[in-house]
Amino acid sequence: MFFSGDPTTRKRVDLGGRSSKERDRQKLLEQTRLERNRRLWLRQQNSAALKIQKYFRGRKVVEVERANVREQFYKNYGKDCHHVDRHCFGPDSEFLRQLIFFVNAWNMNDFSVLVETCRFIQHFVRESGDVVELFAGTDYLSNHSLVVYRLKRLSFACIQAIHHNRNQLKDQLLMTGEEPSASTAILLQALVLILDPKLPWACKTVGYLLQRNVFSLFREVILTAKENINANGSFGKVSALEHVLACMISHVGQSPCICTNVDPQWSFSFQILTIPFLWKKFPYLKEVFASRSLTQYYTNQMALCVQNHANVLPTDMLNEFPGYACILGNILETTGAALSQPDCSFEMALDLAAVTTFLLEALPPIKSSSREIGEDDMIIGDESVEIVLDDNLQQQITNAIDSRFLVQLTNVLFGGISTAHGSHNEGPDDKEVAAVAAACAFLHVTFNTLPLERIMTVLAYRTELVPVLWNFMKRCHQNQKWSSLPERFSYLLGDAPGWLLPLSVFCPVYKHMLMIVDNEEFYEQEKPLSLKDVRCLIVILRQALWQILWVNPSAHPSSGKFISNTSGHKKHPVEAIQSRVGTVASELLSQLQDWNNRRQFTPPSDFHADGVNDYFISQAVMEGTKAHDILKQAPFLIPFTSRVKIFTSQLASVRHRQEAHGVFTRNRFRIRRDHILEDAYNQMSALSEEDLRGLIRVTFVNEFGVEEAGIDGGGIFKDFMENITRAAFDVQYGLFKETADHLLYPNPGSGMIHEQHLQFFHFLGSLLAKLYLSWAY
């Protein structure tokens, strides 16, 4: 550049928007940050290395010290404990202090010493009969802290030793305490003596063991022993392992109890009750667990935690033995005894219903003995995998939910609820709402899981289910306020209306009753409900069905299927319940309309929905719409005049389409006059809807097989329709019977006269529709 005469230096400008000094500053800050992080990482690395060194150095020191104490123990008491006497177990002796310090379940010598120690405990207790004096001397209160500490450590060491050596000793795991040479039986029998719930240290000792998750150790021991359950000669006797478990689970029902709360994942319910067919292995444990106090405690425990902790159930079994199914089978097998006791509490029945409802909801549908589960029973997601339960496990669950169990559960839930027809100004109280919610939730998932033929008759005639549910629904309807479900069942319905779940149970049971009652019972005796109540029921069903199908549909109304996920909980339970109610309510309303058609007890308009308007009619004409689906599933909701408009519009639409094509299907048939119905059925029953809408030409054949003269320009077809309807509706033919007023009705015994009587009825309906089409065109 040329010199301009200006001695100053021109300032350099960075076109990037920042000066080089600012860039250098940002770079320096980034380098400083990285260096700081590197120094922090080095400090953490050094600190971790020091901790590891201290840990291993400490472990090494401890192992050396344990070896020294072990040597000292052998010198004082011998490797076979032949210098041990009863005073060695007292608070002033070093015997137990040294033993619990060095004992190691992985060391076979220590295992032998532990077995001999437990043998001496049994021997000295048999001699004196006083366990407290053996460990605490004459003054337990002064020495209780030391005694409790030693017994906690000794008990856990015994359990660890059995667990670690379970594979080598699997033939001994289920032996009784009477086996003098079985090391596992000796260890377990000593535990029975130490864990006796009557002893003063039982609570703290059991609490310590629960904190160490011993039920998970016992689970692995039981699963190891299950294959050898009949290998020993103690069949019919109580094993020592069973006694230990009974002592531990019995403790929780004692009062007062100072045990700390245990994570449900490691509890007896999640670890032991999830073992398949537990009670076959341990019948004595079943008797202990079935006592009212224990069943109530564990049922309440599971009711509080099973929904939030179902994902941590053990998964160490085969796929056909899922944990939720095993725990359900074991619970159901024992709770019947608790429900049968006169002092069974209402709260326990609520907890039991909540637990079994949640577990049943997780099950895949169980096959019936008389049918297979098909497409109509469940829909499986695109990525779900079908889970098939073990046949014996299915049998355990279905056998447990028998008539006796259903009667007992409903009796306890509805025991304090009156079904008398009194004042309905006040709605149901909290107890009644809880009872109805528990019963309906349990029965809803039971209907979806178990074969219905085993359940309906019991619920209809041996329980108060129908009168209690009807009394509840009637009061809620009259007060225009449906109570919401308790929180424990909120996962089923969320914010769905309160009438949904009661209707899902009431409708199929009441429908089953209507299939059994006769005319005298229904009209004269007014059973199972009075005709006044039936009229009220029709209004409730009509409003609910219209709400489900038209106002707020959440699933395809004509599907009638349940959405499930066999890998766990069912998907969209609200949609599943709504779909079910839509199906059963429409079936029940249709059945009630049949009763009303036989002898009218309510105006036909009671079956008609209030929202059928011109827009609905215009939608119903088009296939694939909600209105069209309602027309097929619940036609009684639509007044007859509206259905006529819809039908006429459909005929006009079909006629317009046919005229647009310009070609009509022509079908020609040769019919014998003396076999007009049989010939017409054999030749025309296979016609499609489009063929029936087209032209049909008929040629009559006489008894000699000669065609009658004439061309069918419409008159012969009319003659054909007159003759075939006269033959079909003739009472002599057997399809119909005649009343005293000379009115026709379908012959209930038509199947005994014609094997294809149902096909004849269907064909006759098609011919009548064809006749109407001819008139309309």
Side-chain angles (χ1 to χ4, degrees), residues 12 14 16-24:
R12 301 179 65 181
D14 187 352
R18 292 186 302 175
S19 67
S20 59
K21 291 182 179 179
E22 185 178 353
R23 283 202 310 271
D24 294 342

Side-chain angles (χ1 to χ4, degrees), residues 55-68 101:
Y55 172 76
F56 281 103
R57 189 180 300 119
R59 284 192 60 181
K60 189 174 181 180
V61 172
V62 171
E63 290 299 327
V64 172
E65 184 61 24
R66 283 178 176 171
N68 294 334
F101 178 75

Side-chain angles (χ1 to χ4, degrees), residues 589-637:
L589 263 180
S590 178
Q591 198 169 5
L592 290 173
Q593 188 187 42
D594 291 341
W595 284 96
N596 195 52
N597 291 337
R598 294 184 211 172
R599 185 187 302 179
Q600 184 171 319
F601 57 85
T602 189
S605 59
D606 283 353
F607 292 89
H608 301 158
D610 300 327
V612 178
N613 49 26
D614 292 339
Y615 172 74
F616 179 89
I617 294 175
S618 65
Q619 290 290 306
V621 175
M622 298 180 289
E623 294 187 4
T625 61
K626 291 189 298 182
H628 186 76
D629 291 332
I630 294 174
L631 180 64
K632 293 191 296 182
Q633 181 178 353
F636 42 79
L637 292 177

Side-chain angles (χ1 to χ4, degrees), residues 66-84 95 98-99 102-104 107-114:
R66 283 178 176 171
N68 294 334
V69 174
R70 186 181 288 110
E71 279 300 318
Q72 186 64 34
F73 181 88
Y74 289 162
K75 290 180 181 178
N76 295 337
Y77 305 104
K79 285 190 176 183
D80 298 327
C81 298
H82 52 269
H83 297 311
V84 174
F95 176 78
Q98 293 179 352
L99 176 64
F102 73 78
V103 68
N104 187 344
N107 189 312
M108 292 307 300
N109 292 330
D110 291 355
F111 179 81
S112 300
V113 171
L114 192 60

Side-chain angles (χ1 to χ4, degrees), residues 61 108 172 228 259 356 363 656 669 681:
V61 172
M108 292 307 300
Q172 302 180 15
N228 300 276
C259 290
T356 53
L363 288 183
H656 178 72
F669 303 99
Y681 171 76

Side-chain angles (χ1 to χ4, degrees), residues 285-323:
L285 185 64
K286 177 182 177 181
E287 295 179 9
V288 175
F289 182 82
S291 63
R292 188 184 66 84
S293 59
L294 287 184
T295 303
Q296 183 168 349
Y297 172 85
Y298 282 105
T299 304
N300 179 257
Q301 182 190 64
M302 286 183 282
L304 295 175
C305 68
V306 70
Q307 293 186 26
N308 298 325
H309 296 83
N311 59 329
V312 296
L313 287 172
T315 57
D316 52 358
M317 301 296 296
L318 298 176
N319 289 337
E320 57 262 32
F321 295 102

Side-chain angles (χ1 to χ4, degrees), residues 147-270:
V147 173
V148 170
Y149 172 77
R150 289 180 173 179
L151 292 179
K152 289 192 297 186
R153 296 289 303 275
L154 178 63
S155 300
F156 186 65
C158 293
I159 296 174
Q160 271 191 319
I162 296 171
H163 173 262
H164 179 71
N165 298 282
R166 63 188 183 279
N167 290 318
Q168 294 84 353
L169 304 172
K170 58 184 178 181
D171 293 334
Q172 302 180 15
L173 294 176
L174 296 177
M175 287 186 175
T176 65
E178 301 172 359
E179 300 291 339
S181 60
S183 55
T184 55
I186 295 172
L187 294 173
L188 291 168
Q189 193 60 29
L191 283 172
V192 172
L193 296 175
I194 295 173
L195 300 178
D196 188 342
K198 299 178 183 178
L199 296 176
W201 55 71
C203 183
K204 293 184 178 180
T205 305
V206 173
Y208 173 82
L209 296 177
L210 294 179
Q211 291 178 345
R212 305 303 294 266
N213 302 333
V214 294
F215 281 128
S216 63
L217 303 183
F218 280 129
R219 174 184 177 85
E220 295 182 9
V221 171
I222 295 172
L223 294 179
T224 303
K226 70 173 186 174
E227 298 178 357
N228 300 276
I229 190 167
N230 295 322
N232 54 65
S234 57
F235 182 77
K237 299 180 181 179
V238 181
S239 67
L241 177 59
E242 195 172 0
H243 269 302
V244 173
L245 293 173
C247 290
M248 293 194 66
I249 68 170
S250 299
H251 166 74
V252 297
Q254 304 297 318
S255 181
C257 178
I258 59 175
C259 290
T260 57
N261 293 329
V262 181
D263 187 343
Q265 180 179 358
W266 310 110
S267 64
F268 174 79
S269 302
F270 278 45

